[in-house]
Amino acid sequence: MKPLFHALAGTTAMLIITSFWMSTLVSELFMDHAAVAAVKQGIVYGLFLLVPCLAATGGSGFMLGKSRKGRLLDQKKKRMRIIAANGLLVMIPSALFLNAKAASGEFDVAFYAVQLVELVVGVVQLTLMGRNFRDGLRLATGHRPPIG
């Protein structure tokens, strides 16, 4: 049951981050400031689902990894530390900052600079999570990646 829970929590987190990223991009490129502000507010509300999903993923992964060792697991742990740091130090503060700026109609240089950082770090997050997903499947099925 723990592997299924871990996979569901991780997949849900990836889907939430993807939806945040895509809604940001679409609203910024094709919609007005009111829509961007609504997206920013929705993202802040969405954090109340994302953060527990990430915590559940990390906690269940830690439990699953207690009895295992190896390169794949070490790589997953290393990536998870980066994912957590990016989330706590960049993504959450950026989401709160962008929501506050958008709510007050301040679409200035600071808003767009932070928006760019958030989008770039979002891609990094999704890439790292995708690699952890891949390695988790390899651990679960016993397939090993090619050396190199």
Side-chain angles (χ1 to χ4, degrees), residues 66-79:
K66 271 187 171 181
S67 63
R68 299 186 81 155
K69 297 213 181 294
R71 184 173 60 90
L72 283 178
L73 193 59
D74 291 343
Q75 289 173 338
K76 281 179 62 94
K77 286 178 181 178
K78 181 188 254 184
R79 283 187 217 112

Side-chain angles (χ1 to χ4, degrees), residues 25-26 29 32 57 60 68 71 82 90 105 133:
L25 192 63
V26 168
L29 292 176
D32 62 10
T57 303
S60 60
R68 299 186 81 155
R71 184 173 60 90
I82 296 168
V90 179
F133 191 94

Side-chain angles (χ1 to χ4, degrees), residues 28-72:
E28 289 288 355
L29 292 176
F30 303 111
M31 298 179 172
D32 62 10
H33 285 157
V36 172
V39 165
K40 295 300 158 199
Q41 184 176 38
I43 288 171
V44 169
Y45 290 148
L47 291 175
F48 290 100
L49 180 59
L50 176 60
V51 170
C53 283
L54 289 171
T57 303
S60 60
F62 179 78
M63 296 298 287
L64 287 168
K66 271 187 171 181
S67 63
R68 299 186 81 155
K69 297 213 181 294
R71 184 173 60 90
L72 283 178

Side-chain angles (χ1 to χ4, degrees), residues 84-130:
N86 282 344
L88 291 172
L89 301 175
V90 179
M91 301 303 286
I92 291 173
S94 294
L96 297 173
F97 174 82
L98 292 168
N99 181 52
K101 294 285 270 182
S104 63
E106 296 178 41
F107 296 93
D108 55 10
V109 172
F111 176 90
Y112 288 109
V114 172
Q115 182 64 81
L116 180 62
V117 168
E118 186 185 52
L119 287 168
V120 170
V121 175
V123 169
V124 170
Q125 294 291 81
L126 288 168
T127 300
L128 294 173
M129 291 174 81

